[in-house]
Amino acid sequence: MPDTIMSKEPTSDLENAMQMLIKTFHKYSGKEGDKYTLSRCELRELLVEELGSYLGNSKDNEGVEKVMNDLDSNNDGEVDFTEFIILMGALTVACNDFFLDKTDDKPKDEKKE
Amino acid sequence: MPDTIMSKEPTSDLENAMQMLIKTFHKYSGKEGDKYTLSRCELRELLVEELGSYLGNSKDNEGVEKVMNDLDSNNDGEVDFTEFIILMGALTVACNDFFLDKTDDKPKDEKKE
């Protein structure tokens, strides 16, 4: 990694999360072709290796094709960083909803520390 | 934290990043009022403590008011998790653009391992 904002030591969990999202994208996008976008092959590798336990470990092409088609809003067969962040945002909101559903049997006004 | 998906040990940097985003939001949203949304006061605390070194350490109310007004799309004076994730996504894309600008003096086709 070049000596830029990305090599700055994160000082909080949020900064750390942002750096991890950026570093993970470029770890895969740099493997072949345009190094700033994910090809189908790179996207498949990222989904299986980094999100396998959330998305299921299926290596079927159909699932990857579906995600690629949903994400690739400009139809160039590549997923850019903004498209990747939209996926990650949607997944994180879904995880949070799941987390809230699981805790919804607790009284709404209960205070936790 | 309750014993749910959130207490599952993350197996990759991406899973870790998702958990950090969720945990950080709830660390602040749970402090007062609706524990599933950030009030102005909670948002200010989150911005200063977690993103101070990115956003500048200014504690002026004007900056917090601006972020709150930009984020609070349904005008209820509270920032919910989806609104928070939109902010984090936009910040992460901005950081990535900055990172690419800094490395743009390198040849585009240079392969790095």
Side-chain angles (χ1 to χ4, degrees), chain A residues 4 14 29 31-32 41 45 54 82-83 92 102 106:
Chain A
T4 63
L14 271 196
S29 72
K31 293 197 175 193
E32 62 171 27
C41 190
E45 222 176 312
Y54 278 28
T82 304
E83 291 162 343
T92 308
K102 286 282 175 190
K106 296 191 171 56

Side-chain angles (χ1 to χ4, degrees), chain B residues 72-110:
Chain B
D72 179 23
S73 51
N74 60 355
N75 289 310
D76 63 354
E78 301 272 331
V79 168
D80 66 23
F81 188 73
T82 304
E83 292 164 341
F84 167 73
I85 284 296
I86 291 169
L87 167 69
M88 293 308 302
L91 277 178
T92 308
V93 168
C95 270
N96 182 61
D97 290 346
F98 182 81
F99 164 68
L100 293 186
D101 284 348
K102 286 282 174 190
T103 56
D104 253 3
D105 48 358
K106 294 192 172 54
K108 279 274 186 191
D109 54 350
E110 181 200 354

Side-chain angles (χ1 to χ4, degrees), chain A residues 2 4 6 8 12-13 15 18 20 26 35-36 50 53-54 81 85 92 96 99-100 102-103 110, chain B residues 2 4 6 8 12-13 15 18 20 26 35-36 50 53-54 81 89 92 96 99-100 102-103 110:
Chain A
T4 63
M6 288 304 294
K8 172 181 163 300
S12 71
D13 280 352
E15 291 183 7
M18 291 166 72
M20 279 183 196
H26 292 287
K35 68 178 182 171
Y36 299 124
E50 303 287 331
S53 70
Y54 278 28
F81 187 73
I85 285 296
T92 308
N96 182 62
F99 163 67
L100 294 187
K102 286 282 175 190
T103 55
E110 180 198 356
Chain B
T4 64
M6 290 303 294
K8 171 181 164 298
S12 72
D13 281 352
E15 291 182 7
M18 291 165 71
M20 281 182 196
H26 291 286
K35 68 179 184 174
Y36 299 124
E50 302 287 330
S53 68
Y54 279 26
F81 188 73
T92 308
N96 182 61
F99 164 68
L100 293 186
K102 286 282 174 190
T103 56
E110 181 200 354

